[in-house]
Amino acid sequence: MPEQQRPYRSHKIPACDRCRRFKRRCTGGTPERPCVLCNLQEVPCTISTKPKSPSSSRSRVKYVQRHVQPPKIAPSTTIHTMPSPALADAEVGQEHIGRAYHGSPGLDQSKVELSMFASPVISEDIQILERYMSSSSSSLSSVGRSGSSDIPPVYLRAPRRREGLSMATDPGKRQKEIVMQVLQPYTDEMVRLYFEEIHPAFPLLDEQLFMELYKVGDKLSPVLVCYFLAMCLLLWHQSPLLRQFPKPDTFFIWNLAVEALQQDFLAPTMSTMYSVLLDLTGRPIYSMLVNTVNNGRAVTLAQTLGLNRDPTHWRRPKSEKSLRIRLWWAVVIHDRWSSFAHGISPTITKSRYDVPIPVLSDIITGPTQSDTRIKAANSFIYLCTLSEILGEVLPLVYDLNINQKEIRKQIRRLETDLDEWEDRLPSYLRRDSEETPRVSGSSNLQLGYLAVRLLLNRISLHVTTLSTDIDRLQTTRYHLSQLRISAQEIVTYVCSLTKAQLQEFWLPYTAHHLILTVIILLRCTVESTDKAIISTCKTSLQNLWTKLQSAAEDGWDLATMCISQCKESVVKVLDGSVSDMKGNKSVAGESLQEDYGRVVPAQDDGRSPVLSGGELLPDILPFSNPDISFDNQWDVGSWYGHGWLGMDGFGACEVGGQGGLE
């Protein structure tokens, strides 16, 4: 094959930037069809549009004559200075928030660096060095400061892209084009639905900036557009306009968004934060493992961008500071509830951030807002405070060294905090509220509260089983009854949900709360010897299962997730096919059962010991990771020790965590 060559009059086809830089002969190329050298090295082949300054004086004169316009005579009247079109286009919505929060990083190729917040350990040293080193000679020339604390945060600039690594100039552009080909006729309606149904309860985006960039055209981040539209598919059947048409393949759209996000993380920006948070919030859920990894990446990127620092006293627009506060608390919410659902210890600790809980003015930024939006904003605020309480509960779940006295004190304090949190709720956010229509997000808030209460009771029961007190049996019986009551309260609340409430905003972790409730009711039904308790638990399980099946038929995907996880075991228990399996397991010699390090003699029939009065003495009932498959559960032995946690797989339909997906 003959070697590709440039034509004789090669100056008419300019060399690409890389060949010009290394003074190599360029065969002429474009970003779509790179030259030979760029193609071999797998690097972008770009040609700078900036004209090269003429070298000779004669050519310089001709250059000036061609490109410099003669001055015009100024009019006598005063002319107000207006921003140039290029500047206005580059800074849409600059009066309140910069375009970088939602804009496409590929539109401004000059932004090759990302501001990273430096460690507080070296912040003071950097500031001292900055006093003695000029900006032209200092290697810390890109240092800036903001804040009002004793040690103000300092940020450094780091390259966004890895040198020599081939990556997309505008991540997600190809995926966005495919998504738009499918959804283009419906995008206006989907945008309207998002900001009416989801945004009030979970105000992640800046509505004004998003709408400005959306109306301009291709100014939004392509990755953000992919996730935004994928998220809106959840609302497809709630729109009278959209339900007339077949719903596009959700799996296909989400996979395109996930593919785009992987590209975006190679050169992350502020808009990447919104994409990954929509990924964690969205449904259906396809991969718990990847979701957990994305949660860790979201926390790390947020801390890198300084979102964990209080921006209240920064010299930035009020709307931008409010947006940063909401963005950080969205990260906290996902970190805490993901930890509760997936069994991974939380990444964020309370002592590592100083961002205040958002207030109403941080969410309601427009001049006029409806009463419905104000109530939904309060729902988000209470979700933040509940997540803060959950953040104090989770260390009790993952603590490997349990101090009996200290943990009991913490449990009592946290139970008081939960009671006070519930007492502070306004009437329209309570479970017994007769508000019509219901506030979006309030049902998710109440079920989250009941799940945290259930978790605390499970921890109390676990601590009691490790106790060596004389009255341990009576105490255990009490905490076991409290745990069962907590599970039945969740059943009662779920059964009371109307179809309109099922269509509200729900975090994807709700599915895991339902699974945990089913687990507790299943075990109490299977292993208790008191007929009254068995009958009560079985009735609650039957009511919950009937409601979940009805909700799944109405399109509540969270119920579908729970059913796909627990169907086989629940059907066996409700049909009574498990009753004959009790007591069939025996161990030769002295049988032992382990309960979190406590050795309990097993009964002769292989079941865990029971208390007087027929109460079940629980050994280990995992409360931190209900994401298990119940397939063949009854054939692998009873739920003792850590054995059942080692089961691999997530049922016939893998539904673990990507609140946004993978």
Side-chain angles (χ1 to χ4, degrees):
M1 179 177 178
E3 182 180 357
Q4 183 181 358
Q5 295 182 353
R6 294 171 69 202
Y8 172 71
R9 297 180 63 80
S10 60
H11 58 278
K12 289 190 175 182
I13 302 179
C16 68
D17 295 343
R18 190 172 185 83
C19 291
R20 187 187 299 275
R21 176 184 174 188
F22 293 102
K23 298 181 180 180
R24 297 169 177 169
R25 183 171 180 82
C26 183
T27 59
T30 62
E32 293 76 18
R33 300 184 61 184
C35 67
V36 173
L37 292 175
C38 291
N39 188 34
L40 290 175
Q41 299 176 3
E42 297 183 353
V43 295
C45 185
T46 57
I47 300 176
S48 177
T49 57
K50 183 178 180 181
K52 184 180 180 181
S53 301
S55 56
S56 64
S57 59
R58 180 178 299 178
S59 58
R60 183 177 293 107
V61 171
K62 293 181 179 180
Y63 177 82
V64 172
Q65 290 176 350
R66 288 197 305 266
H67 295 278
V68 179
Q69 299 294 330
K72 297 181 180 179
I73 300 176
S76 57
T77 56
T78 304
I79 299 179
H80 298 282
T81 305
M82 297 294 291
S84 64
L87 179 61
D89 183 65
E91 297 296 340
V92 177
Q94 181 60 38
E95 67 274 7
H96 62 114
I97 293 177
R99 192 193 67 187
Y101 281 86
H102 297 337
S104 172
L107 295 178
D108 191 352
Q109 299 296 333
S110 63
K111 294 183 178 180
V112 296
E113 295 179 329
L114 178 71
S115 297
M116 294 181 58
F117 270 63
S119 167
V121 176
I122 64 172
S123 297
E124 183 179 359
D125 301 328
I126 291 176
Q127 295 173 46
I128 294 176
L129 287 175
E130 189 186 22
R131 300 173 188 171
Y132 296 96
M133 303 177 70
S134 63
S135 59
S136 60
S137 60
S138 172
S139 60
L140 307 174
S141 57
S142 300
V143 178
R145 293 191 299 273
S146 56
S148 61
S149 59
D150 295 337
I151 304 179
V154 175
Y155 62 88
L156 305 172
R157 291 185 180 174
R160 289 181 53 242
R161 298 176 178 269
R162 186 183 182 93
E163 183 67 25
L165 178 63
S166 177
M167 61 184 69
T169 304
D170 196 5
K173 182 178 180 181
R174 180 184 65 84
Q175 291 83 358
K176 175 191 171 184
E177 291 174 352
I178 299 175
V179 171
M180 293 304 291
Q181 288 178 1
V182 178
L183 300 176
Q184 180 68 57
Y186 320 112
T187 52
D188 289 346
E189 175 67 8
M190 296 173 78
V191 170
R192 182 194 67 81
L193 274 176
Y194 178 90
F195 285 107
E196 286 186 3
E197 302 295 337
I198 297 178
H199 181 74
F202 203 73
L204 179 62
L205 303 172
D206 182 85
E207 183 176 359
Q208 181 179 350
L209 175 62
F210 185 94
M211 293 305 299
E212 288 175 355
L213 295 175
Y214 173 74
K215 293 176 181 178
V216 169
D218 293 334
K219 301 298 182 183
L220 282 168
S221 164
V223 184
L224 179 58
V225 171
C226 291
Y227 271 107
F228 182 88
L229 295 178
M231 183 82 175
C232 293
L233 289 177
L234 185 66
L235 308 172
W236 187 271
H237 295 293
Q238 298 186 29
S239 168
L241 176 62
L242 295 180
R243 70 166 67 108
Q244 302 176 21
F245 305 96
K247 183 179 179 180
D249 187 353
T250 306
F251 186 83
F252 174 73
I253 301 297
W254 271 112
N255 279 347
L256 288 173
V258 170
E259 182 182 352
L261 181 62
Q262 303 311 313
Q263 297 178 5
D264 203 19
F265 263 117
L266 294 177
T269 60
M270 183 65 77
S271 63
T272 309
M273 283 298 311
Y274 294 94
S275 300
V276 69
L277 288 175
L278 285 177
D279 175 271
L280 296 171
T281 308
R283 297 192 307 274
I285 297 170
Y286 292 128
S287 174
M288 180 190 75
L289 178 61
V290 178
N291 238 30
T292 305
V293 173
N294 280 344
N295 177 74
R297 294 203 289 184
V299 173
T300 302
L301 182 58
Q303 293 174 336
T304 299
L305 298 172
L307 293 175
N308 61 320
R309 299 304 304 269
D310 182 8
T312 305
H313 301 287
W314 292 10
R315 295 186 296 273
R316 301 299 299 168
K318 174 65 169 63
S319 54
E320 180 178 347
K321 292 187 287 187
S322 298
L323 181 60
R324 291 181 68 94
I325 292 175
R326 301 201 310 265
L327 183 57
W328 170 253
W329 276 100
V331 175
V332 173
I333 288 171
H334 278 293
D335 183 65
R336 300 277 166 79
W337 294 96
S338 173
S339 173
F340 180 12
H342 300 156
I344 306 298
S345 59
T347 307
I348 299 175
T349 56
K350 190 174 182 180
S351 59
R352 308 293 168 79
Y353 65 89
D354 57 357
V355 181
I357 291 178
V359 295
L360 200 58
S361 60
D362 292 326
I363 303 174
I364 304 299
T365 56
T368 57
Q369 291 289 352
S370 64
D371 184 60
T372 302
R373 286 214 165 188
I374 294 176
K375 292 178 179 178
N378 278 321
S379 174
F380 177 75
I381 293 173
Y382 278 98
L383 178 60
C384 294
T385 56
L386 181 61
S387 301
E388 194 170 46
I389 296 175
L390 177 60
E392 298 184 43
V393 176
L394 290 174
L396 307 182
V397 176
Y398 300 102
D399 192 359
L400 300 179
N401 300 313
I402 297 179
N403 185 316
Q404 294 282 337
K405 294 183 179 180
E406 289 299 322
I407 199 171
R408 290 180 186 276
K409 291 180 181 179
Q410 295 181 52
I411 291 174
R412 288 195 296 269
R413 178 178 59 81
L414 291 170
E415 288 176 340
T416 303
D417 292 343
L418 278 176
D419 290 336
E420 293 177 352
W421 180 90
E422 187 179 27
D423 293 339
R424 289 195 300 267
L425 283 176
S427 59
Y428 54 82
L429 293 180
R430 296 180 179 273
R431 292 196 298 278
D432 56 355
S433 172
E434 298 181 357
E435 186 89 8
T436 305
R438 293 278 300 184
V439 177
S440 180
S442 61
S443 301
N444 171 80
L445 180 68
Q446 281 298 330
L447 189 56
Y449 161 76
L450 293 175
V452 176
R453 179 75 71 180
L454 178 71
L455 177 61
L456 263 181
N457 285 327
R458 185 60 190 92
I459 296 173
S460 300
L461 178 61
H462 169 57
V463 173
T464 302
T465 59
L466 301 180
S467 173
T468 57
D469 297 341
I470 299 177
D471 58 347
R472 177 176 60 87
L473 297 181
Q474 290 76 12
T475 307
T476 302
R477 186 188 308 114
Y478 167 76
H479 288 295
L480 180 60
S481 63
Q482 292 299 308
L483 177 65
R484 188 169 56 251
I485 292 172
S486 296
Q488 291 170 342
E489 285 181 350
I490 292 180
V491 173
T492 302
Y493 181 67
V494 171
C495 291
S496 69
L497 295 176
T498 63
K499 186 175 181 179
Q501 288 177 280
L502 298 179
Q503 294 178 347
E504 294 177 9
F505 169 79
W506 292 88
L507 285 173
Y509 313 111
T510 302
H512 301 275
H513 305 332
L514 297 175
I515 293 173
L516 178 58
T517 303
V518 171
I519 289 176
I520 293 175
L521 293 176
L522 276 174
R523 181 165 182 181
C524 290
T525 303
V526 170
E527 294 198 339
S528 179
T529 58
D530 186 279
K531 293 183 178 180
I533 293 176
I534 294 176
S535 176
T536 302
C537 292
K538 197 170 183 178
T539 301
S540 298
L541 186 61
Q542 179 67 67
N543 293 338
L544 177 61
W545 198 248
T546 302
K547 177 62 178 182
L548 292 179
Q549 290 177 322
S550 173
E553 293 176 357
D554 291 336
W556 198 36
D557 57 330
L558 297 172
T560 305
M561 297 175 195
C562 181
I563 291 174
S564 65
Q565 289 287 76
C566 314
K567 182 176 181 180
E568 181 178 349
S569 297
V570 172
V571 170
K572 287 183 178 180
V573 171
L574 295 181
D575 291 345
S577 58
V578 187
S579 58
D580 296 335
M581 303 180 65
K582 293 184 178 182
N584 291 335
K585 303 188 184 298
S586 60
V587 181
E590 184 179 2
S591 300
L592 298 178
Q593 295 292 353
E594 294 187 3
D595 178 13
Y596 275 118
R598 179 178 60 86
V599 179
V600 181
Q603 291 186 355
D604 295 337
D605 58 0
R607 291 183 292 104
S608 58
V610 292
L611 305 177
S612 57
E615 294 284 357
L616 167 70
L617 174 60
D619 13 65
I620 173 172
L621 178 58
F623 44 79
S624 60
N625 189 358
D627 301 310
I628 62 157
S629 169
F630 282 94
D631 294 345
N632 302 319
Q633 179 65 58
W634 306 107
D635 300 328
V636 297
S638 53
W639 293 341
Y640 300 135
H642 294 280
W644 77 302
L645 286 174
M647 299 180 64
D648 192 14
F650 296 90
C653 175
E654 184 180 10
V655 290
Q658 191 166 341
L661 301 92
E662 264 328 299

